[in-house]
Amino acid sequence: MAVGAALAIAVNYGLESTLLAPEEVATSPARLPPEFDRLAEAWELLEQDHIDRRTLDATALSNGAMRGMLDALDDPYASFLDRERFEEEESKIQGVFEGIGAQVGIRDNLLTVIAPLPDTPAEKAGILPGDVILAVDGESIEDLSLQEAVSRIRGERGTTVQLLVRHADETEPVLIPITRGVIPLETVRFRMLADGVGHLQITSFASNTNDGVGEALRQFRSSGGRGLVVDLRYNPGGLLGEVVDVTSQFLEDGLVTYELDGQGNRREWEVTSGGGGQDIPMVVLVNQYSASASEVFAGAILDHQRAPVIGETTFGKGSVNTRHRLSDGSGIFYTIARWYTPNGTLIEGSGVAPLVQIDQLPESETDQQLEKAIELLNQQTQGSGGQQY
């Protein structure tokens, strides 16, 4: 199961925005609302009178109707994929780790890069957080759903895709060719800074992230660390189970997150016991490209008053999405629930506001946000014996 995060272009589906429901084939309903009768009427008229009626493509027209219906939902994650593209999604779920290595989402109705994954073709080609993707291989993606746009960008290693990209704060787009490759799945990076400060960077929440965090905490203690900066900047999200486990490394008990579905049903995820970092003084770093599972983590840490969260208001991706295969092999994606922080803050559309707001100035040669995090960490630990925030 995956937290609603932005779509991972060519990474395992567990790292992307869709909550993967058990594979099901949707069955035809016993009846449709009467408002759908006009679809059959329109088909009969076209078949009778259209100038090209002998060559009408029923499948193409049906696909168009499906796309229009989902588009009318005003759900940015709702989309229809034909049989071929849905099968491509299935192969991705089954563990094909090839593509450009970027995570994207919808912001202001535009396909926006949340972050390129480290050491991937996207990063090496110059794709940046905040980039807006306008066209793929010369074709506009303006009218495509999120899923359809991603399926065009993803592809086999060694092949090239041309992206028309508008960088943040620039007006003219640039054409960026990217040769697709195998995407590395390292999600945890740890280093010791000066004066016993550990810097734990989590780039996404994959199936091995909690193990990586556990190992980092062991390194932190063996190095005599006194405080930890947990850096979730540019982290686009990932697996729900992993973010619950990672959050539980730093909390003793209580709620990590909950979801509400369209019927108002509530489902909760509690802290699991035995976390290895519950007594470590810490500060959490986020920015506007911290999304989904990152926001779940930051919201839980804030609501439990475990540590200060500093940086920028996060991306605001807190929807739970599902997929269903239809009887002809095509499929639909749509939102079924939304995530909330333990105290009831809706993540979707709003994000998580940090306790301390500090923007990273683009012209600065230093990491101002990290410096501020270390400053707050020092305030916690100096003369305090390592008490919690």
Side-chain angles (χ1 to χ4, degrees):
M1 182 161 31
V3 176
L7 273 168
I9 299 176
V11 188
N12 185 300
Y13 231 73
L15 305 184
E16 53 94 80
S17 70
T18 342
L19 172 65
L20 296 175
E23 183 173 328
E24 298 175 359
V25 176
T27 57
S28 297
R31 69 170 192 86
L32 289 171
E35 289 81 2
F36 281 79
D37 291 346
R38 57 185 175 172
L39 287 176
E41 294 174 17
W43 167 254
E44 291 176 1
L45 290 170
L46 292 173
E47 194 176 32
Q48 175 181 331
D49 296 331
H50 193 272
I51 189 171
D52 296 321
R53 58 187 178 276
R54 291 182 179 84
T55 58
L56 287 177
D57 187 335
T59 298
L61 292 176
S62 174
N63 288 350
M66 291 289 296
R67 291 187 176 95
M69 179 175 65
L70 292 170
D71 184 61
L73 288 173
D74 196 27
D75 176 353
Y77 304 99
S79 61
F80 167 78
L81 294 182
D82 60 28
R83 181 173 182 172
E84 180 181 359
R85 295 201 181 276
F86 194 80
E87 287 177 352
E88 290 176 359
E89 296 296 327
E90 290 290 278
S91 69
K92 178 185 171 190
I93 296 166
Q94 293 164 8
V96 178
F97 307 116
E98 297 178 356
I100 70 168
Q103 302 250 4
V104 300
I106 298 296
R107 172 171 282 179
D108 299 327
N109 295 318
L110 297 171
L111 186 66
T112 304
V113 176
I114 298 176
L117 300 178
D119 301 322
T120 60
E123 183 184 62
K124 294 173 183 176
I127 296 295
L128 303 171
D131 283 352
V132 173
I133 301 175
L134 303 172
V136 179
D137 289 333
E139 295 186 12
S140 171
I141 60 171
E142 180 179 3
D143 296 326
L144 297 183
S145 69
L146 180 61
Q147 294 276 358
E148 290 174 311
V150 166
S151 69
R152 293 193 180 187
I153 298 170
R154 190 175 60 252
E156 295 181 0
R157 60 178 169 178
T159 59
T160 299
V161 61
Q162 302 270 353
L163 300 185
L164 185 64
V165 172
R166 186 175 69 236
H167 294 307
D169 302 324
E170 295 186 11
T171 57
E172 294 299 320
V174 295
L175 190 64
I176 300 180
I178 306 175
T179 300
R180 303 175 177 104
V182 177
I183 309 305
L185 296 179
E186 178 187 17
T187 63
V188 177
R189 298 180 176 184
F190 176 74
R191 58 177 176 154
M192 289 299 299
L193 305 177
D195 300 324
V197 173
H199 181 220
L200 174 60
Q201 183 183 21
I202 305 174
T203 59
S204 67
F205 291 91
S207 59
N208 58 354
T209 301
N210 187 52
D211 290 341
V213 170
E215 176 58 31
L217 293 176
R218 286 187 286 273
Q219 292 182 34
F220 172 82
R221 293 189 184 279
S222 66
S223 300
R226 63 179 180 86
L228 187 67
V229 176
V230 179
D231 193 342
L232 299 179
R233 293 176 296 177
Y234 305 104
N235 181 322
L239 294 171
L240 174 61
E242 287 297 306
V243 72
V244 170
D245 288 344
V246 171
T247 307
S248 299
Q249 295 275 13
F250 302 100
L251 296 178
E252 293 184 3
D253 53 31
L255 196 62
V256 174
T257 187
Y258 69 91
E259 71 172 47
L260 290 179
D261 66 15
Q263 290 73 47
N265 298 316
R266 173 168 168 151
R267 185 179 180 186
E268 299 182 346
W269 282 267
E270 298 281 345
V271 169
T272 58
S273 61
Q278 297 174 4
D279 61 337
I280 297 175
M282 61 184 285
V283 173
V284 177
L285 265 177
V286 296
N287 65 5
Q288 61 179 313
Y289 303 111
S290 303
S292 187
S294 301
E295 297 173 282
V296 168
F297 181 96
I301 294 297
L302 270 178
D303 285 2
H304 285 274
Q305 299 186 357
R306 169 64 176 87
V309 174
I310 77 167
E312 303 159 357
T313 299
T314 59
F315 189 83
K317 174 62 176 75
S319 64
V320 185
N321 313 114
T322 191
R323 63 176 176 88
H324 282 279
R325 181 193 293 273
L326 303 179
S327 57
D328 67 344
S330 62
I332 59 173
F333 296 74
Y334 54 95
T335 299
I336 59 172
R338 293 190 173 94
W339 300 105
Y340 292 79
T341 70
N343 288 351
T345 299
L346 174 64
I347 294 173
E348 178 70 20
S350 301
V352 175
L355 183 68
V356 179
Q357 176 81 29
I358 178 167
D359 299 329
Q360 177 68 37
L361 299 177
E363 63 273 14
S364 176
E365 296 182 357
T366 62
D367 189 337
Q368 298 163 302
Q369 293 172 330
L370 180 58
E371 288 181 348
K372 184 63 175 180
I374 295 172
E375 177 187 330
L376 290 180
L377 197 57
N378 287 334
Q379 292 175 8
Q380 285 189 63
T381 57
Q382 287 176 353
S384 68
Q387 296 177 0
Q388 291 186 1
Y389 167 72

